[in-house]
Amino acid sequence: MTFSSFGRDMNLTMEVICRELFLHNRESIKIQKEETAVRNLVKILDAALRLCNEKGFASMSLRDLSREADLSLGAMYSYFSSKDDLLRLMQGQCRSMVLRALESGIEGFYDPRMRLRRLIQAHLYSSEILQPWFYMSYMETRSFPKDEYSLAIEAELFTEKTLVDIMLEGQASGLFKPVNAGLLGAVTKAMLQDWYLKRWKYSKRKITVQNYCDFVLDFIESYLLFTAEA
Amino acid sequence: MTFSSFGRDMNLTMEVICRELFLHNRESIKIQKEETAVRNLVKILDAALRLCNEKGFASMSLRDLSREADLSLGAMYSYFSSKDDLLRLMQGQCRSMVLRALESGIEGFYDPRMRLRRLIQAHLYSSEILQPWFYMSYMETRSFPKDEYSLAIEAELFTEKTLVDIMLEGQASGLFKPVNAGLLGAVTKAMLQDWYLKRWKYSKRKITVQNYCDFVLDFIESYLLFTAEA
DNA sequence: CTTTTTAGAACGAGCGTTCGTTTTTATTTT
DNA sequence: AAAATAAAAACGAACGCTCGTTCTAAAAAG
């Protein structure tokens, strides 16, 4: 699975995300016409993610957002009922789409080594495309309202558990070495997260998601696989 | 080097940090008597770090801080001249003491394998003791005032470069395998950071800093060292 | 003309910061 | 040893400003 084939298969564009968001929230969104709504939701979400990445959700004022999205305060309140509601909209839609991408990444694969590769690829590629959302989710989790907080933690632990389960499968079938799978899963998650948390560093060094992915896979597999290599 | 021996050698207690802080900032601090000043600085910094970890620096109001530190607003302003100044005080003092701890960790060691071990230990142990400060620094860096931002980035890159340099030394001397040292340094930093960023997760799983440290060292050395093992 | 969408002034709450006052501590005088 | 005074530290109401949110009127669309 290459990054560009992943990009083609999953459709993680803002346009698509905002259209789904609109269709799933017609009751709460006060705008009727789909095209108008989608166009403005894209402007709002793009601007919100940009501002959240710069200064954080709490420090992003709705006046900043209004300026950046090129919509008045009143107009924006036709799309969400409060600042927290805006957060809920972004979280709900993006989380479900990323989860879908991860699941369909490993779907139909049964060899532990292949499943591990594909899960790591799917995670890195998703976060490459939706980096601002991943970054925002990571940095803001602690200040989310209670329900969103739980969902975010749950999602983090779910991905980690999936990693660990694949490792345990591989160990059970004698394919992987009996190393500490729990800790290996945890630090693998940390490496996956570093890709979207330190994007500035990796871009400056001209390291692509493909480079990073290959390295992480080699690093982990060297530790897990029995040495057939030199 | 064990965690407890490290704790004994470096003196990273709040009491010590605040006393140094006071002595280095006598001009700007409006309180004369050392004992009074140190006692209250400890209250202020402890409370500030606690609140910053809960809700972030921007969302911590000075009224919150005043309540938690059990000091009036006016009294607190005898110790710093603005909210940003409070940040600068915490950053300056803690950063220099952590840097000192890292440097004296590898001082006097010349074998690359030993240097790598000791640097990783010193980093994990420091962040175990000053976890709230490490966490705050990581999460708030992007919203620091310009000068503090640069210093924080510089410190992050310095630690990473030190890791990479040790790896390159080891490779040059034929002790380590010729893997991608730049990327290995980057993901090593990510693993070190995960220890203070996800403390809640590791405490819940009853994983100690010693466990984590041993695992990370084993993981990295397996990748770097030529296989003398099974 | 009716409906949908946008604009931006207005409001109360909470922010960082200031400052005149009170309380506590230390020193001097009786 | 007690009282008086001076110095140091702590207090918290008040100020100007920005925040999230509401609301009415204007503009645009059909």
Side-chain angles (χ1 to χ4, degrees), chain A residues 52-53 58-59 138-140 142 156 160 186 190 193-194 197-198 201-202 205 215 218-219 222-223, chain B residues 52-53 58-59 138-140 142 156 160 184 186 190 193-194 197-198 201-202 205 215 218-219 222-223:
Chain A
C52 283
N53 275 262
S59 300
Y138 189 98
M139 299 302 269
E140 306 293 343
R142 65 178 156 163
E156 147 118 26
E160 189 177 328
Q193 289 174 329
D194 208 55
L197 292 171
K198 303 279 178 55
K201 201 171 72 176
Y202 295 113
R205 297 181 190 170
F215 175 80
D218 182 54
F219 187 25
S222 301
Y223 196 56
Chain B
C52 283
N53 275 261
S59 301
Y138 189 97
M139 299 301 270
E140 305 293 343
R142 63 176 159 165
E156 147 116 27
E160 187 177 330
L184 184 57
Q193 289 174 329
D194 208 55
L197 292 171
K198 304 278 177 56
K201 200 171 72 174
Y202 295 113
R205 296 180 192 171
F215 174 80
D218 182 53
F219 186 26
S222 301
Y223 195 56

Side-chain angles (χ1 to χ4, degrees), chain A residues 143-186:
Chain A
S143 19
F144 281 173
K146 226 178 173 209
D147 48 342
E148 284 300 328
Y149 175 82
S150 308
L151 289 169
I153 296 288
E154 205 176 287
E156 147 118 26
L157 293 179
F158 174 75
T159 316
E160 189 177 328
K161 184 168 161 25
T162 310
L163 279 169
V164 173
D165 285 346
I166 295 175
M167 292 171 184
L168 290 174
E169 274 175 56
Q171 290 179 332
S173 70
L175 186 67
F176 294 160
K177 286 192 212 162
V179 297
N180 188 327
L183 277 174
L184 184 56

Side-chain angles (χ1 to χ4, degrees), chain A residues 201-215:
Chain A
K201 201 171 72 176
Y202 295 113
S203 336
K204 186 174 289 178
R205 297 181 190 170
K206 305 215 184 302
I207 292 164
T208 65
V209 64
Q210 206 71 252
N211 299 148
Y212 191 78
C213 187
D214 290 344
F215 175 80

Side-chain angles (χ1 to χ4, degrees), chain A residues 12 14 17 45-46 48-50 52-53 86-99 102 123 126-141 144 148 151-152 155 196-197 199:
Chain A
L12 292 181
M14 270 301 165
I17 292 172
L45 263 66
D46 269 337
L49 286 172
R50 197 176 336 126
C52 283
N53 275 262
L86 167 62
L87 190 86
R88 245 184 294 273
L89 287 181
M90 291 196 288
Q91 284 305 111
Q93 196 59 45
C94 291
R95 189 179 34 242
S96 82
M97 297 190 73
V98 166
L99 195 68
L102 293 185
H123 197 289
S126 300
S127 69
E128 172 71 7
I129 297 173
L130 287 184
Q131 191 265 351
W133 178 79
F134 274 84
Y135 187 86
M136 197 267 279
S137 296
Y138 189 98
M139 299 302 269
E140 306 293 343
T141 299
F144 281 173
E148 284 300 328
L151 289 169
Y196 60 80
L197 292 171
R199 180 85 86 106

Side-chain angles (χ1 to χ4, degrees), chain B residues 3-109:
Chain B
F3 176 55
S4 53
S5 78
F6 179 86
R8 252 179 286 112
D9 298 348
M10 309 296 135
N11 230 355
L12 292 182
T13 66
M14 270 299 166
E15 161 86 22
V16 171
I17 290 173
C18 289
R19 193 173 303 276
E20 281 207 31
L21 195 157
F22 171 71
L23 297 172
H24 283 92
N25 295 277
R26 285 203 106 129
E27 350 63 77
S28 65
I29 292 176
K30 298 185 189 82
I31 301 300
Q32 319 273 335
K33 292 181 10 184
E34 181 168 334
E35 291 318 310
T36 308
V38 172
R39 175 169 28 90
N40 285 334
L41 279 170
V42 169
K43 290 206 288 184
I44 292 172
L45 263 66
D46 270 338
L49 287 173
R50 198 176 335 127
L51 288 169
C52 283
N53 275 261
E54 275 169 29
K55 30 200 325 200
F57 183 77
S59 301
M60 167 189 77
S61 80
L62 293 182
R63 283 165 184 81
D64 292 340
L65 183 56
S66 155
R67 193 179 336 101
E68 285 289 305
D70 203 28
L71 271 169
S72 70
L73 285 170
M76 290 197 308
Y77 268 86
S78 307
Y79 296 89
F80 50 78
S81 65
S82 69
K83 200 185 173 190
D84 270 2
D85 191 44
L86 167 62
L87 191 84
R88 246 185 294 274
L89 288 180
M90 290 196 288
Q91 284 306 110
Q93 197 58 46
C94 292
R95 188 176 39 238
S96 82
M97 298 191 73
V98 166
L99 194 67
R100 211 186 304 159
L102 293 186
E103 278 168 348
S104 76
I106 53 175
E107 212 172 39
F109 291 86

Side-chain angles (χ1 to χ4, degrees), chain A residues 30-59:
Chain A
K30 298 185 190 81
I31 302 299
Q32 317 277 334
K33 295 183 357 187
E34 181 169 336
E35 291 318 311
T36 308
V38 172
R39 175 169 28 91
N40 286 335
L41 278 171
V42 169
K43 291 206 287 184
I44 293 172
L45 263 66
D46 269 337
L49 286 172
R50 197 176 336 126
L51 288 168
C52 283
N53 275 262
E54 276 169 29
K55 27 195 338 192
F57 182 77
S59 300

